[in-house]
């Protein structure tokens, strides 16, 4: 089915100047960028986005990292978009990510892991709505 998913290019990858290379992978896999904005997240915005991880031991480090510099946030649309994006990203821990994935190629650590992608279609809808009002999503 045609799905949508939320993607974030994290501060490490923005600092490495690989936004374009990562967009090329989305487009090469048939995903369309239907909304996008560059943001420097506030602590409150990052904590709200990652609220499901609030009780996890890595929460503080995760939030500190996500507010350390600008990020590029986008909604992607395409056939099976959630899983296609997860396959492009590779495993959360770049040391475990398959060769040729975004994380294997651009990530440095489990926190500085280059990209975020929604882990379910249900969460994708919540995450897209967190960053994009419906009128700023340009489905096509
Ligand atoms: P992301 O997909 O953005 O969702 C939560 C993030 O927490 C994850 O990517 C990692 O960058 C970070 N993280 C740090 N430690 C862990 C861990 N042990 N398990 C899962 N995620 C972790």
């Amino acid at each position: 089915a045609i799905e949508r998913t939320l993607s974030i290019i994290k501060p490490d990858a923005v600092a490495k100047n690989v936004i374009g290379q990562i967009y090329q992978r989305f487009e090469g896999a048939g995903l369309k960028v239907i909304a996008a904005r560059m943001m420097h997240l506030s602590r409150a915005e990052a904590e709200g986005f990652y609220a499901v991880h609030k009780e996890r031991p890595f929460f503080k480090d995760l939030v500190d990292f996500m507010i350390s510099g600008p990020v590029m946030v986008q909604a992607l649309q395409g056939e099976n978009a959630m899983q296609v994006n997860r396959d492009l990203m590779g495993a959360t821990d770049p040391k475990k990510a398959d060769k040729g994935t975004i994380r294997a190629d651009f990530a440095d650590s489990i926190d500085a892991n280059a990209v975020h992608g929604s882990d379910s279609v249900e969460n994708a809808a919540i995450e897209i709505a967190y960053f994009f009002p419906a009128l700023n999503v340009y489905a096509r």
Side-chain angles (χ1 to χ4, degrees):
I2 299 287
E3 293 172 357
R4 294 176 181 182
T5 194
L6 191 278
S7 159
I8 302 177
I9 301 177
K10 296 189 181 188
D12 58 321
V14 172
K16 283 183 180 162
N17 204 27
V18 294
I19 293 171
Q21 290 187 57
I22 293 174
Y23 268 44
Q24 205 157 39
R25 293 181 185 215
F26 296 153
E27 292 176 349
L31 299 177
K32 292 177 177 175
V33 177
I34 58 168
R37 61 191 290 213
M38 184 172 264
M39 309 176 68
H40 195 146
L41 297 175
S42 67
R43 184 170 294 278
E45 285 170 334
E47 286 179 350
F49 180 74
Y50 281 121
V52 292
H53 295 306
K54 202 164 56 235
E55 306 304 330
R56 308 284 287 275
F58 56 81
F59 183 69
K60 170 109 182 6
D61 285 347
L62 169 63
V63 169
D64 285 344
F65 176 68
M66 289 300 288
I67 67 175
S68 67
V71 297
M72 190 72 195
V73 185
Q74 45 282 323
L76 306 174
Q77 180 177 289
E79 186 66 32
N80 205 17
M82 188 279 292
Q83 192 58 50
V84 167
N85 182 46
R86 290 185 72 79
D87 292 346
L88 287 175
M89 292 195 297
T92 306
D93 182 349
K95 293 197 295 286
K96 296 178 185 155
D98 287 341
K99 244 181 100 201
T101 61
I102 293 169
R103 284 165 170 160
D105 290 345
F106 301 120
D108 300 318
S109 70
I110 196 163
D111 281 308
N113 67 349
V115 279
H116 165 82
S118 308
D119 64 1
S120 70
V121 173
E122 296 70 35
N123 283 338
I126 294 167
E127 293 180 358
I128 291 170
Y130 190 79
F131 288 115
F132 300 106
L135 87 169
N136 293 131
V137 178
Y138 299 94
R140 61 192 200 280

